Amino acid sequence: MSIATNEHITVEKIKKSKLDQVDFDNLTFGKNFTDYMFECDYKDGKWQNPTIKPYGNLELSPATKVFHYGQAVFEGMKAYKDDQGEVFLFRPEDNFKRINISSKRMAIPEFPREFFFEALHTLVQLDKDWVQPGEGNSLYIRPFAMATEVGVSAAPSDEYKFMIIMAPAQAYYTGDVRVVIAEQFSRSADGGVGFAKAAGNYGAQFYPTNLAREKGFQQVIWTDAKEHKYLEEAGTMNVFFRIGDTLITAPTSDRILDGVTRKSVLKLAEHNGIKAEVRRIQVSELVEAAKNGTLKEIFGAGTAAVISPVSAFSYQETVYDIPKQEDSYAKRFKKELMDIQQNRADDPFGWRYPVA
């Protein structure tokens, strides 16, 4: 196993690639991982020993703090390959800033910028062949940090591990999604960690989402924890509502994630002269719009799914179907985003970031 050193990062080379073992036409999201991963440890008050090594298992004590107190954060990013074989990231600076915002809220030391971007560049270059060209194909990138101190005292860890793993991906959802509006469960609350990509935020969603699936729905639209009166997020995504020709989404807060795709959709709306409002929207407003025919679209926006249209929602045991639109904003924004991401269109916003 050969070892090379970049400016900051040590690279341990693989003996043989796993690439020929992967059926890229039949991928399950997040199940197949690339040849390499990045690992860096926080000890003695500093991040140290940044290393790229062959993807493999970790050995951790059962008393490792992340298992007991959930001190963990993560990000979701993607790399795309154009028809000329060039590879690009999409707005990685936003992901870097957000993982450190999340880390700060979870009492995890912030990660150095030079390590983060050098790791991304080197990893994607090493695993470039895992990035497949073509519509809907991408390389999903998962940076994450977790507490690794051994001990079960209820206090922040003194040691952490920052890692990046990557998985080839196709479309996350293959069709429209049916959703239930939450009337009892909440994703987050005022003063909590809803704005952070903390691991526990997502684990807490699984049970109410399972209940929705038992009724034939795929996801939940979350409402505020206090009154269950205001619409906030959809599943693991930000959510948009089109009433008339106005696009509406909830403002970010300490309950709502500042999504990269969300910000991109708002910018595309502005660029295209589409009226958009960032404001609180009540469930009653949505139901009334569905009844009087002015509700034209609901769609989720996030890294994994990009844009995910909603075909129906349920509230108080009543299902409201949403008719398909010839001038669908969801389809329009998804195409415009993917054209920028895969270098099929100009990038007037400077979102595309070449890496390999």
Side-chain angles (χ1 to χ4, degrees), residues 289-301:
K291 288 179 177 178
N292 66 29
T294 57
L295 176 63
K296 294 187 177 181
E297 291 182 82
I298 302 174
F299 59 88

Side-chain angles (χ1 to χ4, degrees), residues 73-77 92 94-102 116 140-145 162-163 165 195-197 257-258 260 303:
V73 298
F74 69 93
E75 270 299 320
M77 311 169 61
D94 293 86
N95 297 102
F96 168 70
K97 291 176 181 176
R98 191 171 63 184
I99 198 168
N100 277 336
I101 290 171
S102 299
F116 184 83
Y140 185 77
I141 303 171
R142 169 57 61 88
F144 63 101
F162 188 101
M163 300 189 69
I165 56 177
F195 69 92
K197 285 188 76 72
L257 187 73
D258 186 13
V260 176
T303 297

Side-chain angles (χ1 to χ4, degrees), residues 60-110:
L60 296 171
S61 164
T64 302
K65 281 199 172 183
V66 67
F67 300 142
H68 301 272
Y69 303 112
Q71 214 182 346
V73 298
F74 69 93
E75 270 299 320
M77 311 169 61
K78 283 183 177 178
Y80 304 86
K81 181 177 284 183
D82 68 13
D83 293 337
Q84 289 72 48
E86 298 300 313
V87 179
F88 302 87
L89 298 175
F90 183 72
R91 304 187 71 168
E93 189 73 40
D94 293 86
N95 297 102
F96 168 70
K97 291 176 181 176
R98 191 171 63 184
I99 198 168
N100 277 336
I101 290 171
S102 299
S103 293
K104 185 175 181 179
R105 180 61 180 84
M106 296 300 292
I108 297 171
E110 295 181 30

Side-chain angles (χ1 to χ4, degrees), residues 179-182 219-223 231-235 239 241 298:
V179 301
V180 174
I181 293 179
Q219 281 294 352
V220 177
I221 292 184
W222 306 103
T223 50
L231 299 155
E232 297 200 330
E233 289 196 2
V239 62
F241 308 93
I298 302 174

Side-chain angles (χ1 to χ4, degrees), residues 109-163:
E110 295 181 30
F111 196 66
R113 188 182 192 282
E114 62 270 22
F115 286 2
F116 184 83
F117 280 93
E118 186 179 334
L120 284 177
H121 272 270
T122 310
L123 270 176
V124 175
Q125 287 168 351
L126 286 167
D127 279 329
K128 183 178 180 180
D129 291 341
W130 289 80
V131 192
Q132 299 292 294
E135 186 71 22
N137 293 323
S138 62
L139 183 67
Y140 185 77
I141 303 171
R142 169 57 61 88
F144 63 101
M146 60 182 176
T148 54
E149 181 188 352
V150 175
V152 295
S153 61
S157 177
D158 289 331
E159 297 180 357
Y160 299 87
K161 192 178 290 292
F162 188 101
M163 300 189 69

Side-chain angles (χ1 to χ4, degrees), residues 16 47 67 85 118 173 198 215 227 241 258 262 272 320 323:
K16 185 180 184 300
W47 289 102
F67 300 142
E118 186 179 334
Y173 294 113
K215 295 182 178 181
E227 301 175 275
F241 308 93
D258 186 13
R262 172 190 177 277
N272 286 290
Y320 300 87

Side-chain angles (χ1 to χ4, degrees), residues 247 264-276 333 336:
L247 198 62
S264 303
V265 168
L266 288 172
K267 193 66 179 177
L268 287 173
E270 178 187 355
H271 186 70
N272 286 290
I274 293 171
K275 183 180 179 182
F333 291 140
E336 290 183 4

